[in-house]
Amino acid sequence: MSIACSTVTVRAPGKINLYLGVGGLRIDGYHTLATVFQSVNLYEEVVATVNPVVGAISVSFSGPQHQESLPIDDSNLVIRAAKLLARTAAIESGIVLRVTKNIPIAGGMAGGSADAAATLLACDTIWQTRFGLGKLMELAAELGADVPFCLHGGTAIGVGRGDQLSPVLTIGIFHWVLAFADFGLSTSDVFEEYDKKDEWDGELAGGFRMEPSIPDDLLAALRAGSPQQLAPALYNNLHESACRLAPQLRRTLQIGDDAGALAGIISGSGPTVAFLCADTEAALSVRIALSAAQIRTESVCSSVGGARIVARG
Ligand code: C5P
């Protein structure tokens, strides 16, 4: 096979969930979801370079969100993504993967899934598999529930495990302030906490057990491009589970609310909190209030496209 380029750089965005309805536990250990994903302009970057050593696939990490605890062995999603693609395409050449982490680890923004999506696209480009997006989406779903959306980007409804996607019509730009936690939450721990829901003294009993669905008012708000309409439609079924595991999130939510955010929502399984703001000025006020409380923040916009090649050489 001819190799067209020896280095490829791919960026893949993080996501927030504008709506996350959780249904029943499936036999594969996943929960049925009805979710609306939206990509934000906070990107992971993966640089893939051909390694002449046959079968040698390696990864290294750097960047503002990197933590030394991140494994670099076969348990890492980046290695798993590259090996899955190599196996599927019967590729034997090696690859060196360098990841810049800008999305918090275990933050509920699919940073690891974005790394996997970027890796699939970067390796696919270098190895010239000619698989096309459909096949890459299939491989993405094998790697994790959020990986297909990180490849796809934009705004999409996710059903099944969250990996069966359909695009959602949306116009305009939404302004968000992300409040980062100085700790992570394991997605499976948050879902496990959700499964104890019936034991919570009836506090938030109800919610979804069977088949959640996406409310029309949320889709209408996205079609209208109206943050004021979108704010009351934001919903996360895992909110209470994440707050029970990390009660300090309630304070973060309160600070953003007091500072004039239209709404605050825990992103996915948390602990990142996303505050929807009317405009950039309102976002600045929210950032100032959170910063004064020693909470790290980032201003982002949505939605943006999915994984993209940004350089090749
Ligand atoms: O697919 P991913 O590896 O990102 O999922 C991490 C964990 O989150 C799963 O092992 C499962 O415990 C939980 N999960 C779930 N239902 C989903 C998605 C994730 O229970 N739809």
Side-chain angles (χ1 to χ4, degrees), residues 20-22 24-26 28-34 77 80 110 113 140-147 159-163 186-192 195 238 269:
L20 180 53
V22 182
L25 184 60
R26 311 179 346 163
D28 61 2
Y30 279 84
H31 292 75
T32 307
L33 299 185
L77 209 49
R80 285 175 48 208
S113 300
E142 279 187 47
L143 293 164
D146 290 341
V147 185
V159 296
R161 296 181 306 154
D163 54 344
S186 140
T187 305
S188 50
D189 286 356
V190 177
F191 274 101
E192 224 172 90
D195 287 331
L238 294 176
S269 54

PDB file of all heavy atoms in Angstrom, residues 20-22 24-26 28-34 77 80 110 113 140-147 159-163 186-192 195 238 269, ligand 1:
ATOM      1  N   LEU A  20     -30.299  14.744  28.390  1.00  0.00           N
ATOM      2  CA  LEU A  20     -29.839  13.367  28.632  1.00  0.00           C
ATOM      3  C   LEU A  20     -30.906  12.631  29.424  1.00  0.00           C
ATOM      4  O   LEU A  20     -31.066  12.855  30.628  1.00  0.00           O
ATOM      5  CB  LEU A  20     -28.489  13.371  29.368  1.00  0.00           C
ATOM      6  CG  LEU A  20     -27.850  12.030  29.717  1.00  0.00           C
ATOM      7  CD1 LEU A  20     -27.734  11.136  28.490  1.00  0.00           C
ATOM      8  CD2 LEU A  20     -26.470  12.236  30.301  1.00  0.00           C
ATOM      9  N   GLY A  21     -31.670  11.815  28.717  1.00  0.00           N
ATOM     10  CA  GLY A  21     -32.698  10.994  29.345  1.00  0.00           C
ATOM     11  C   GLY A  21     -32.177   9.569  29.430  1.00  0.00           C
ATOM     12  O   GLY A  21     -31.722   9.016  28.435  1.00  0.00           O
ATOM     13  N   VAL A  22     -32.202   8.999  30.630  1.00  0.00           N
ATOM     14  CA  VAL A  22     -31.666   7.648  30.841  1.00  0.00           C
ATOM     15  C   VAL A  22     -32.816   6.676  31.037  1.00  0.00           C
ATOM     16  O   VAL A  22     -33.707   6.914  31.855  1.00  0.00           O
ATOM     17  CB  VAL A  22     -30.730   7.608  32.072  1.00  0.00           C
ATOM     18  CG1 VAL A  22     -30.135   6.217  32.245  1.00  0.00           C
ATOM     19  CG2 VAL A  22     -29.632   8.657  31.949  1.00  0.00           C
ATOM     20  N   GLY A  24     -33.756   2.193  30.803  1.00  0.00           N
ATOM     21  CA  GLY A  24     -33.425   0.981  31.553  1.00  0.00           C
ATOM     22  C   GLY A  24     -32.014   0.474  31.294  1.00  0.00           C
ATOM     23  O   GLY A  24     -31.351   0.871  30.338  1.00  0.00           O
ATOM     24  N   LEU A  25     -31.552  -0.393  32.202  1.00  0.00           N
ATOM     25  CA  LEU A  25     -30.246  -1.042  32.086  1.00  0.00           C
ATOM     26  C   LEU A  25     -30.365  -2.199  31.097  1.00  0.00           C
ATOM     27  O   LEU A  25     -31.260  -3.028  31.206  1.00  0.00           O
ATOM     28  CB  LEU A  25     -29.813  -1.547  33.471  1.00  0.00           C
ATOM     29  CG  LEU A  25     -28.439  -2.177  33.615  1.00  0.00           C
ATOM     30  CD1 LEU A  25     -27.332  -1.202  33.239  1.00  0.00           C
ATOM     31  CD2 LEU A  25     -28.234  -2.660  35.055  1.00  0.00           C
ATOM     32  N   ARG A  26     -29.460  -2.255  30.109  1.00  0.00           N
ATOM     33  CA  ARG A  26     -29.513  -3.295  29.085  1.00  0.00           C
ATOM     34  C   ARG A  26     -28.657  -4.487  29.516  1.00  0.00           C
ATOM     35  O   ARG A  26     -27.835  -4.364  30.431  1.00  0.00           O
ATOM     36  CB  ARG A  26     -28.992  -2.753  27.748  1.00  0.00           C
ATOM     37  CG  ARG A  26     -29.616  -1.437  27.368  1.00  0.00           C
ATOM     38  CD  ARG A  26     -29.160  -0.801  26.095  1.00  0.00           C
ATOM     39  NE  ARG A  26     -27.963  -1.304  25.460  1.00  0.00           N
ATOM     40  CZ  ARG A  26     -27.636  -1.066  24.187  1.00  0.00           C
ATOM     41  NH1 ARG A  26     -28.446  -0.343  23.429  1.00  0.00           N
ATOM     42  NH2 ARG A  26     -26.536  -1.532  23.667  1.00  0.00           N
ATOM     43  N   ASP A  28     -26.139  -5.650  28.090  1.00  0.00           N
ATOM     44  CA  ASP A  28     -24.707  -5.425  27.866  1.00  0.00           C
ATOM     45  C   ASP A  28     -24.096  -4.473  28.899  1.00  0.00           C
ATOM     46  O   ASP A  28     -22.938  -4.076  28.788  1.00  0.00           O
ATOM     47  CB  ASP A  28     -24.457  -4.894  26.441  1.00  0.00           C
ATOM     48  CG  ASP A  28     -25.142  -3.554  26.175  1.00  0.00           C
ATOM     49  OD1 ASP A  28     -25.775  -3.004  27.100  1.00  0.00           O
ATOM     50  OD2 ASP A  28     -25.036  -3.056  25.039  1.00  0.00           O
ATOM     51  N   GLY A  29     -24.877  -4.111  29.923  1.00  0.00           N
ATOM     52  CA  GLY A  29     -24.344  -3.249  30.985  1.00  0.00           C
ATOM     53  C   GLY A  29     -24.508  -1.767  30.694  1.00  0.00           C
ATOM     54  O   GLY A  29     -24.198  -0.930  31.548  1.00  0.00           O
ATOM     55  N   TYR A  30     -24.980  -1.422  29.501  1.00  0.00           N
ATOM     56  CA  TYR A  30     -25.233  -0.022  29.155  1.00  0.00           C
ATOM     57  C   TYR A  30     -26.690   0.326  29.457  1.00  0.00           C
ATOM     58  O   TYR A  30     -27.533  -0.556  29.587  1.00  0.00           O
ATOM     59  CB  TYR A  30     -24.960   0.216  27.669  1.00  0.00           C
ATOM     60  CG  TYR A  30     -23.497   0.404  27.340  1.00  0.00           C
ATOM     61  CD1 TYR A  30     -22.658  -0.691  27.129  1.00  0.00           C
ATOM     62  CD2 TYR A  30     -22.944   1.672  27.238  1.00  0.00           C
ATOM     63  CE1 TYR A  30     -21.306  -0.514  26.823  1.00  0.00           C
ATOM     64  CE2 TYR A  30     -21.604   1.859  26.933  1.00  0.00           C
ATOM     65  CZ  TYR A  30     -20.792   0.765  26.724  1.00  0.00           C
ATOM     66  OH  TYR A  30     -19.468   0.944  26.429  1.00  0.00           O
ATOM     67  N   HIS A  31     -26.964   1.631  29.534  1.00  0.00           N
ATOM     68  CA  HIS A  31     -28.338   2.100  29.702  1.00  0.00           C
ATOM     69  C   HIS A  31     -28.864   2.627  28.367  1.00  0.00           C
ATOM     70  O   HIS A  31     -28.117   3.214  27.593  1.00  0.00           O
ATOM     71  CB  HIS A  31     -28.394   3.230  30.730  1.00  0.00           C
ATOM     72  CG  HIS A  31     -28.084   2.778  32.123  1.00  0.00           C
ATOM     73  ND1 HIS A  31     -26.811   2.487  32.537  1.00  0.00           N
ATOM     74  CD2 HIS A  31     -28.898   2.552  33.185  1.00  0.00           C
ATOM     75  CE1 HIS A  31     -26.836   2.114  33.794  1.00  0.00           C
ATOM     76  NE2 HIS A  31     -28.086   2.130  34.207  1.00  0.00           N
ATOM     77  N   THR A  32     -30.145   2.443  28.159  1.00  0.00           N
ATOM     78  CA  THR A  32     -30.790   3.053  26.999  1.00  0.00           C
ATOM     79  C   THR A  32     -30.797   4.567  27.215  1.00  0.00           C
ATOM     80  O   THR A  32     -31.115   5.032  28.312  1.00  0.00           O
ATOM     81  CB  THR A  32     -32.256   2.571  26.907  1.00  0.00           C
ATOM     82  OG1 THR A  32     -32.248   1.165  26.942  1.00  0.00           O
ATOM     83  CG2 THR A  32     -32.925   3.050  25.646  1.00  0.00           C
ATOM     84  N   LEU A  33     -30.421   5.303  26.193  1.00  0.00           N
ATOM     85  CA  LEU A  33     -30.393   6.765  26.318  1.00  0.00           C
ATOM     86  C   LEU A  33     -31.242   7.416  25.233  1.00  0.00           C
ATOM     87  O   LEU A  33     -31.420   6.852  24.155  1.00  0.00           O
ATOM     88  CB  LEU A  33     -28.976   7.317  26.130  1.00  0.00           C
ATOM     89  CG  LEU A  33     -27.852   6.909  27.056  1.00  0.00           C
ATOM     90  CD1 LEU A  33     -26.600   7.702  26.708  1.00  0.00           C
ATOM     91  CD2 LEU A  33     -28.232   7.139  28.508  1.00  0.00           C
ATOM     92  N   ALA A  34     -31.724   8.611  25.529  1.00  0.00           N
ATOM     93  CA  ALA A  34     -32.172   9.534  24.484  1.00  0.00           C
ATOM     94  C   ALA A  34     -31.475  10.837  24.825  1.00  0.00           C
ATOM     95  O   ALA A  34     -31.724  11.431  25.882  1.00  0.00           O
ATOM     96  CB  ALA A  34     -33.685   9.699  24.499  1.00  0.00           C
ATOM     97  N   LEU A  77      -7.723   4.278  25.196  1.00  0.00           N
ATOM     98  CA  LEU A  77      -8.658   4.278  24.063  1.00  0.00           C
ATOM     99  C   LEU A  77      -7.962   4.646  22.746  1.00  0.00           C
ATOM    100  O   LEU A  77      -8.383   4.200  21.676  1.00  0.00           O
ATOM    101  CB  LEU A  77      -9.791   5.262  24.378  1.00  0.00           C
ATOM    102  CG  LEU A  77     -11.163   4.981  23.765  1.00  0.00           C
ATOM    103  CD1 LEU A  77     -11.608   3.552  23.975  1.00  0.00           C
ATOM    104  CD2 LEU A  77     -12.196   5.947  24.348  1.00  0.00           C
ATOM    105  N   ARG A  80      -6.318   1.524  21.615  1.00  0.00           N
ATOM    106  CA  ARG A  80      -7.378   0.592  21.185  1.00  0.00           C
ATOM    107  C   ARG A  80      -7.935   1.000  19.821  1.00  0.00           C
ATOM    108  O   ARG A  80      -8.224   0.145  18.976  1.00  0.00           O
ATOM    109  CB  ARG A  80      -8.487   0.525  22.237  1.00  0.00           C
ATOM    110  CG  ARG A  80      -8.056  -0.300  23.453  1.00  0.00           C
ATOM    111  CD  ARG A  80      -9.084  -0.285  24.555  1.00  0.00           C
ATOM    112  NE  ARG A  80     -10.420  -0.566  24.075  1.00  0.00           N
ATOM    113  CZ  ARG A  80     -11.538  -0.118  24.639  1.00  0.00           C
ATOM    114  NH1 ARG A  80     -11.478   0.645  25.708  1.00  0.00           N
ATOM    115  NH2 ARG A  80     -12.696  -0.441  24.149  1.00  0.00           N
ATOM    116  N   ALA A 110     -16.463  13.876  27.069  1.00  0.00           N
ATOM    117  CA  ALA A 110     -16.029  12.901  26.056  1.00  0.00           C
ATOM    118  C   ALA A 110     -14.618  13.169  25.527  1.00  0.00           C
ATOM    119  O   ALA A 110     -14.357  12.939  24.348  1.00  0.00           O
ATOM    120  CB  ALA A 110     -17.040  12.820  24.906  1.00  0.00           C
ATOM    121  N   SER A 113     -13.108   9.981  24.305  1.00  0.00           N
ATOM    122  CA  SER A 113     -13.794   9.562  23.076  1.00  0.00           C
ATOM    123  C   SER A 113     -13.347  10.429  21.901  1.00  0.00           C
ATOM    124  O   SER A 113     -13.208   9.946  20.771  1.00  0.00           O
ATOM    125  CB  SER A 113     -15.311   9.675  23.252  1.00  0.00           C
ATOM    126  OG  SER A 113     -15.738   8.851  24.312  1.00  0.00           O
ATOM    127  N   ALA A 140     -16.041   3.247  15.530  1.00  0.00           N
ATOM    128  CA  ALA A 140     -16.136   4.182  16.660  1.00  0.00           C
ATOM    129  C   ALA A 140     -17.085   3.629  17.724  1.00  0.00           C
ATOM    130  O   ALA A 140     -16.793   3.684  18.922  1.00  0.00           O
ATOM    131  CB  ALA A 140     -16.615   5.546  16.161  1.00  0.00           C
ATOM    132  N   ALA A 141     -18.222   3.081  17.286  1.00  0.00           N
ATOM    133  CA  ALA A 141     -19.209   2.558  18.237  1.00  0.00           C
ATOM    134  C   ALA A 141     -18.661   1.368  19.018  1.00  0.00           C
ATOM    135  O   ALA A 141     -19.045   1.122  20.161  1.00  0.00           O
ATOM    136  CB  ALA A 141     -20.487   2.177  17.507  1.00  0.00           C
ATOM    137  N   GLU A 142     -17.728   0.621  18.401  1.00  0.00           N
ATOM    138  CA  GLU A 142     -17.106  -0.502  19.121  1.00  0.00           C
ATOM    139  C   GLU A 142     -16.221  -0.004  20.255  1.00  0.00           C
ATOM    140  O   GLU A 142     -15.982  -0.706  21.233  1.00  0.00           O
ATOM    141  CB  GLU A 142     -16.231  -1.327  18.165  1.00  0.00           C
ATOM    142  CG  GLU A 142     -17.004  -2.313  17.330  1.00  0.00           C
ATOM    143  CD  GLU A 142     -16.071  -3.209  16.534  1.00  0.00           C
ATOM    144  OE1 GLU A 142     -15.101  -3.743  17.089  1.00  0.00           O
ATOM    145  OE2 GLU A 142     -16.321  -3.347  15.316  1.00  0.00           O
ATOM    146  N   LEU A 143     -15.704   1.220  20.089  1.00  0.00           N
ATOM    147  CA  LEU A 143     -14.759   1.752  21.080  1.00  0.00           C
ATOM    148  C   LEU A 143     -15.448   2.397  22.281  1.00  0.00           C
ATOM    149  O   LEU A 143     -14.897   2.448  23.370  1.00  0.00           O
ATOM    150  CB  LEU A 143     -13.834   2.773  20.407  1.00  0.00           C
ATOM    151  CG  LEU A 143     -12.879   2.168  19.371  1.00  0.00           C
ATOM    152  CD1 LEU A 143     -12.296   3.255  18.474  1.00  0.00           C
ATOM    153  CD2 LEU A 143     -11.756   1.397  20.071  1.00  0.00           C
ATOM    154  N   GLY A 144     -16.657   2.901  22.096  1.00  0.00           N
ATOM    155  CA  GLY A 144     -17.362   3.540  23.204  1.00  0.00           C
ATOM    156  C   GLY A 144     -18.593   4.260  22.708  1.00  0.00           C
ATOM    157  O   GLY A 144     -18.696   4.608  21.527  1.00  0.00           O
ATOM    158  N   ALA A 145     -19.522   4.498  23.639  1.00  0.00           N
ATOM    159  CA  ALA A 145     -20.828   5.052  23.269  1.00  0.00           C
ATOM    160  C   ALA A 145     -20.734   6.468  22.687  1.00  0.00           C
ATOM    161  O   ALA A 145     -21.545   6.855  21.844  1.00  0.00           O
ATOM    162  CB  ALA A 145     -21.747   5.044  24.488  1.00  0.00           C
ATOM    163  N   ASP A 146     -19.746   7.273  23.131  1.00  0.00           N
ATOM    164  CA  ASP A 146     -19.659   8.667  22.690  1.00  0.00           C
ATOM    165  C   ASP A 146     -18.741   8.867  21.484  1.00  0.00           C
ATOM    166  O   ASP A 146     -18.682   9.966  20.921  1.00  0.00           O
ATOM    167  CB  ASP A 146     -19.124   9.559  23.827  1.00  0.00           C
ATOM    168  CG  ASP A 146     -20.125   9.724  24.957  1.00  0.00           C
ATOM    169  OD1 ASP A 146     -21.326   9.470  24.731  1.00  0.00           O
ATOM    170  OD2 ASP A 146     -19.700  10.114  26.057  1.00  0.00           O
ATOM    171  N   VAL A 147     -17.995   7.837  21.107  1.00  0.00           N
ATOM    172  CA  VAL A 147     -16.979   8.015  20.048  1.00  0.00           C
ATOM    173  C   VAL A 147     -17.634   8.370  18.695  1.00  0.00           C
ATOM    174  O   VAL A 147     -17.142   9.275  18.003  1.00  0.00           O
ATOM    175  CB  VAL A 147     -16.039   6.792  19.948  1.00  0.00           C
ATOM    176  CG1 VAL A 147     -14.924   7.056  18.944  1.00  0.00           C
ATOM    177  CG2 VAL A 147     -15.443   6.447  21.316  1.00  0.00           C
ATOM    178  N   VAL A 159     -29.500   7.800  20.312  1.00  0.00           N
ATOM    179  CA  VAL A 159     -30.342   6.815  21.007  1.00  0.00           C
ATOM    180  C   VAL A 159     -29.568   5.501  21.100  1.00  0.00           C
ATOM    181  O   VAL A 159     -28.413   5.436  20.703  1.00  0.00           O
ATOM    182  CB  VAL A 159     -31.725   6.621  20.318  1.00  0.00           C
ATOM    183  CG1 VAL A 159     -32.544   7.896  20.374  1.00  0.00           C
ATOM    184  CG2 VAL A 159     -31.543   6.167  18.868  1.00  0.00           C
ATOM    185  N   GLY A 160     -30.204   4.466  21.621  1.00  0.00           N
ATOM    186  CA  GLY A 160     -29.480   3.220  21.895  1.00  0.00           C
ATOM    187  C   GLY A 160     -28.580   3.477  23.094  1.00  0.00           C
ATOM    188  O   GLY A 160     -29.044   3.972  24.130  1.00  0.00           O
ATOM    189  N   ARG A 161     -27.280   3.216  22.945  1.00  0.00           N
ATOM    190  CA  ARG A 161     -26.332   3.561  24.016  1.00  0.00           C
ATOM    191  C   ARG A 161     -25.935   5.038  23.920  1.00  0.00           C
ATOM    192  O   ARG A 161     -25.079   5.508  24.655  1.00  0.00           O
ATOM    193  CB  ARG A 161     -25.051   2.730  23.878  1.00  0.00           C
ATOM    194  CG  ARG A 161     -25.237   1.243  24.045  1.00  0.00           C
ATOM    195  CD  ARG A 161     -23.886   0.561  23.912  1.00  0.00           C
ATOM    196  NE  ARG A 161     -23.216   0.915  22.671  1.00  0.00           N
ATOM    197  CZ  ARG A 161     -21.892   0.894  22.487  1.00  0.00           C
ATOM    198  NH1 ARG A 161     -21.087   0.555  23.469  1.00  0.00           N
ATOM    199  NH2 ARG A 161     -21.364   1.199  21.320  1.00  0.00           N
ATOM    200  N   GLY A 162     -26.517   5.736  22.932  1.00  0.00           N
ATOM    201  CA  GLY A 162     -26.111   7.109  22.623  1.00  0.00           C
ATOM    202  C   GLY A 162     -25.304   7.121  21.338  1.00  0.00           C
ATOM    203  O   GLY A 162     -24.851   8.167  20.885  1.00  0.00           O
ATOM    204  N   ASP A 163     -25.143   5.939  20.738  1.00  0.00           N
ATOM    205  CA  ASP A 163     -24.268   5.814  19.569  1.00  0.00           C
ATOM    206  C   ASP A 163     -25.018   5.761  18.246  1.00  0.00           C
ATOM    207  O   ASP A 163     -24.407   5.754  17.188  1.00  0.00           O
ATOM    208  CB  ASP A 163     -23.365   4.575  19.712  1.00  0.00           C
ATOM    209  CG  ASP A 163     -24.151   3.302  19.974  1.00  0.00           C
ATOM    210  OD1 ASP A 163     -25.340   3.384  20.340  1.00  0.00           O
ATOM    211  OD2 ASP A 163     -23.571   2.214  19.822  1.00  0.00           O
ATOM    212  N   SER A 186     -16.148   9.006  37.375  1.00  0.00           N
ATOM    213  CA  SER A 186     -16.195   7.877  36.442  1.00  0.00           C
ATOM    214  C   SER A 186     -17.621   7.738  35.912  1.00  0.00           C
ATOM    215  O   SER A 186     -18.581   7.711  36.692  1.00  0.00           O
ATOM    216  CB  SER A 186     -15.743   6.608  37.170  1.00  0.00           C
ATOM    217  OG  SER A 186     -16.535   5.518  36.798  1.00  0.00           O
ATOM    218  N   THR A 187     -17.739   7.654  34.589  1.00  0.00           N
ATOM    219  CA  THR A 187     -19.069   7.549  33.967  1.00  0.00           C
ATOM    220  C   THR A 187     -19.839   6.357  34.533  1.00  0.00           C
ATOM    221  O   THR A 187     -21.022   6.464  34.866  1.00  0.00           O
ATOM    222  CB  THR A 187     -18.930   7.396  32.437  1.00  0.00           C
ATOM    223  OG1 THR A 187     -18.149   8.483  31.958  1.00  0.00           O
ATOM    224  CG2 THR A 187     -20.264   7.404  31.742  1.00  0.00           C
ATOM    225  N   SER A 188     -19.135   5.217  34.678  1.00  0.00           N
ATOM    226  CA  SER A 188     -19.863   4.038  35.160  1.00  0.00           C
ATOM    227  C   SER A 188     -20.305   4.216  36.611  1.00  0.00           C
ATOM    228  O   SER A 188     -21.376   3.755  36.991  1.00  0.00           O
ATOM    229  CB  SER A 188     -19.070   2.747  34.947  1.00  0.00           C
ATOM    230  OG  SER A 188     -17.783   2.896  35.424  1.00  0.00           O
ATOM    231  N   ASP A 189     -19.509   4.951  37.423  1.00  0.00           N
ATOM    232  CA  ASP A 189     -19.929   5.205  38.821  1.00  0.00           C
ATOM    233  C   ASP A 189     -21.205   6.045  38.848  1.00  0.00           C
ATOM    234  O   ASP A 189     -22.095   5.816  39.666  1.00  0.00           O
ATOM    235  CB  ASP A 189     -18.844   5.981  39.587  1.00  0.00           C
ATOM    236  CG  ASP A 189     -17.661   5.099  39.940  1.00  0.00           C
ATOM    237  OD1 ASP A 189     -17.721   3.881  39.664  1.00  0.00           O
ATOM    238  OD2 ASP A 189     -16.655   5.638  40.459  1.00  0.00           O
ATOM    239  N   VAL A 190     -21.289   7.024  37.945  1.00  0.00           N
ATOM    240  CA  VAL A 190     -22.465   7.907  37.944  1.00  0.00           C
ATOM    241  C   VAL A 190     -23.708   7.118  37.499  1.00  0.00           C
ATOM    242  O   VAL A 190     -24.784   7.240  38.088  1.00  0.00           O
ATOM    243  CB  VAL A 190     -22.236   9.157  37.061  1.00  0.00           C
ATOM    244  CG1 VAL A 190     -23.482  10.034  37.002  1.00  0.00           C
ATOM    245  CG2 VAL A 190     -21.050   9.955  37.581  1.00  0.00           C
ATOM    246  N   PHE A 191     -23.537   6.263  36.485  1.00  0.00           N
ATOM    247  CA  PHE A 191     -24.671   5.423  36.059  1.00  0.00           C
ATOM    248  C   PHE A 191     -25.063   4.443  37.172  1.00  0.00           C
ATOM    249  O   PHE A 191     -26.246   4.173  37.372  1.00  0.00           O
ATOM    250  CB  PHE A 191     -24.339   4.668  34.772  1.00  0.00           C
ATOM    251  CG  PHE A 191     -24.618   5.467  33.520  1.00  0.00           C
ATOM    252  CD1 PHE A 191     -23.596   6.102  32.836  1.00  0.00           C
ATOM    253  CD2 PHE A 191     -25.908   5.583  33.021  1.00  0.00           C
ATOM    254  CE1 PHE A 191     -23.844   6.831  31.678  1.00  0.00           C
ATOM    255  CE2 PHE A 191     -26.175   6.322  31.860  1.00  0.00           C
ATOM    256  CZ  PHE A 191     -25.140   6.941  31.193  1.00  0.00           C
ATOM    257  N   GLU A 192     -24.058   3.945  37.886  1.00  0.00           N
ATOM    258  CA  GLU A 192     -24.346   3.016  38.995  1.00  0.00           C
ATOM    259  C   GLU A 192     -25.145   3.725  40.082  1.00  0.00           C
ATOM    260  O   GLU A 192     -26.077   3.163  40.651  1.00  0.00           O
ATOM    261  CB  GLU A 192     -23.018   2.529  39.579  1.00  0.00           C
ATOM    262  CG  GLU A 192     -22.983   1.041  39.869  1.00  0.00           C
ATOM    263  CD  GLU A 192     -21.574   0.629  40.247  1.00  0.00           C
ATOM    264  OE1 GLU A 192     -21.262   0.672  41.445  1.00  0.00           O
ATOM    265  OE2 GLU A 192     -20.785   0.300  39.331  1.00  0.00           O
ATOM    266  N   ASP A 195     -28.628   3.982  39.146  1.00  0.00           N
ATOM    267  CA  ASP A 195     -29.387   2.740  39.326  1.00  0.00           C
ATOM    268  C   ASP A 195     -29.876   2.556  40.765  1.00  0.00           C
ATOM    269  O   ASP A 195     -30.750   1.738  41.017  1.00  0.00           O
ATOM    270  CB  ASP A 195     -28.551   1.529  38.894  1.00  0.00           C
ATOM    271  CG  ASP A 195     -28.425   1.470  37.385  1.00  0.00           C
ATOM    272  OD1 ASP A 195     -29.354   1.945  36.691  1.00  0.00           O
ATOM    273  OD2 ASP A 195     -27.403   0.973  36.891  1.00  0.00           O
ATOM    274  N   LEU A 238     -28.928  12.521  34.769  1.00  0.00           N
ATOM    275  CA  LEU A 238     -27.841  12.101  35.670  1.00  0.00           C
ATOM    276  C   LEU A 238     -27.454  13.211  36.652  1.00  0.00           C
ATOM    277  O   LEU A 238     -26.537  13.028  37.459  1.00  0.00           O
ATOM    278  CB  LEU A 238     -26.596  11.692  34.857  1.00  0.00           C
ATOM    279  CG  LEU A 238     -26.731  10.443  33.988  1.00  0.00           C
ATOM    280  CD1 LEU A 238     -25.455  10.220  33.181  1.00  0.00           C
ATOM    281  CD2 LEU A 238     -27.035   9.203  34.852  1.00  0.00           C
ATOM    282  N   SER A 269     -22.014  12.830  32.403  1.00  0.00           N
ATOM    283  CA  SER A 269     -21.960  12.291  33.765  1.00  0.00           C
ATOM    284  C   SER A 269     -21.163  13.206  34.696  1.00  0.00           C
ATOM    285  O   SER A 269     -20.910  12.855  35.843  1.00  0.00           O
ATOM    286  CB  SER A 269     -21.348  10.888  33.727  1.00  0.00           C
ATOM    287  OG  SER A 269     -20.098  10.918  33.075  1.00  0.00           O
TER     288      SER A 269
HETATM  289  O1  C5P B   1     -18.940   3.626  26.292  1.00  0.00           O
HETATM  290  P1  C5P B   1     -18.111   4.157  27.419  1.00  0.00           P
HETATM  291  O2  C5P B   1     -16.901   3.309  27.663  1.00  0.00           O
HETATM  292  O3  C5P B   1     -17.766   5.595  27.285  1.00  0.00           O
HETATM  293  O4  C5P B   1     -19.016   4.032  28.722  1.00  0.00           O
HETATM  294  C1  C5P B   1     -18.463   4.053  30.019  1.00  0.00           C
HETATM  295  C2  C5P B   1     -19.444   3.429  31.002  1.00  0.00           C
HETATM  296  O5  C5P B   1     -20.581   4.301  31.189  1.00  0.00           O
HETATM  297  C3  C5P B   1     -20.032   2.107  30.573  1.00  0.00           C
HETATM  298  O6  C5P B   1     -19.191   1.034  30.899  1.00  0.00           O
HETATM  299  C4  C5P B   1     -21.334   2.074  31.372  1.00  0.00           C
HETATM  300  O7  C5P B   1     -21.075   1.710  32.723  1.00  0.00           O
HETATM  301  C5  C5P B   1     -21.759   3.552  31.400  1.00  0.00           C
HETATM  302  N1  C5P B   1     -22.727   3.840  30.315  1.00  0.00           N
HETATM  303  C6  C5P B   1     -24.019   3.353  30.438  1.00  0.00           C
HETATM  304  N2  C5P B   1     -24.935   3.595  29.440  1.00  0.00           N
HETATM  305  C7  C5P B   1     -24.582   4.317  28.348  1.00  0.00           C
HETATM  306  C8  C5P B   1     -23.277   4.858  28.213  1.00  0.00           C
HETATM  307  C9  C5P B   1     -22.360   4.590  29.224  1.00  0.00           C
HETATM  308  O8  C5P B   1     -24.363   2.709  31.421  1.00  0.00           O
HETATM  309  N3  C5P B   1     -25.498   4.524  27.390  1.00  0.00           N
END
